[in-house]
Amino acid sequence: MRRANLINERAEVLRARGRLEEAAVLYRESAEILAAVDAVRQFLPRLNLVFIEIFHGDPASTEGELLLLLRRAREADQTTTAWYASLGLLVVDAKLGRWAAFDARLDEVSDTVLHDPDAQRLASLSGELAAAAGEQGDRGGGDHRAGV
């Protein structure tokens, strides 16, 4: 497990330096090692992979992984991981214009103080997306998914 943690830390350094592809490879390696030892410990590198995609790719593409992490974190009583997954889903809801879901999720995560840089970036990004939608008149009261 120590090896997986060291790999994850190395990935953090690479991500901070903007070397995202290399960081993603190491996060995956760390998650695989941890999954073989302890399913709960793999949450951190998996979240870090999602953060790369949210901040540097397509936030909406992370929804499935975030929902899975949220469900598994809640089952394992991992409240911090569940909170991070919810914060990531807040960005997804804003990106997809699902304002009822955004508002409900915002209530869910708003009681926690944002000390972590990733948490601050997720909160900022969701706010920026919501503000941009409001400026464009897209921030209606409902869920904008087809058939909803």
Side-chain angles (χ1 to χ4, degrees):
M1 207 158 21
R2 180 168 159 72
R3 181 174 181 266
N5 291 334
L6 290 171
I7 292 169
N8 192 73
E9 289 302 316
R10 175 70 178 141
E12 288 286 289
V13 171
L14 291 170
R15 181 168 63 129
R17 292 181 178 170
R19 295 167 57 184
L20 304 178
E21 290 179 22
E22 294 171 83
V25 168
L26 292 179
Y27 284 137
R28 280 188 199 92
E29 183 180 349
S30 177
E32 289 170 11
I33 292 168
L34 291 169
V37 176
D38 180 357
V40 172
R41 296 207 183 267
Q42 70 174 311
F43 292 159
L44 179 62
R46 288 179 63 189
L47 275 172
N48 286 328
L49 277 167
V50 168
F51 294 161
I52 288 174
E53 188 62 26
I54 286 175
F55 297 134
H56 304 284
D58 176 20
S61 71
T62 66
E63 183 174 28
E65 180 71 4
L66 285 167
L67 288 169
L68 180 63
L69 283 167
L70 177 61
R71 181 176 54 81
R72 289 187 176 164
R74 286 180 173 162
E75 289 169 356
D77 198 29
Q78 296 292 311
T79 55
T80 301
T81 299
W83 181 80
Y84 274 105
S86 291
L87 198 52
L89 286 163
L90 187 70
V91 175
V92 172
D93 291 337
K95 180 71 175 172
L96 296 176
R98 298 189 307 221
W99 303 117
F102 177 89
D103 290 340
R105 205 171 308 277
L106 183 60
D107 287 341
E108 180 184 326
V109 300
S110 64
D111 291 337
T112 305
V113 178
L114 304 175
H115 292 293
D116 178 78
D118 282 328
Q120 292 169 354
R121 288 182 69 196
L122 289 166
S124 290
L125 181 56
S126 65
E128 290 166 12
L129 291 168
E135 290 170 6
Q136 297 169 8
D138 293 337
R139 178 97 206 261
D143 213 328
H144 293 231
R145 292 177 290 179
V148 175

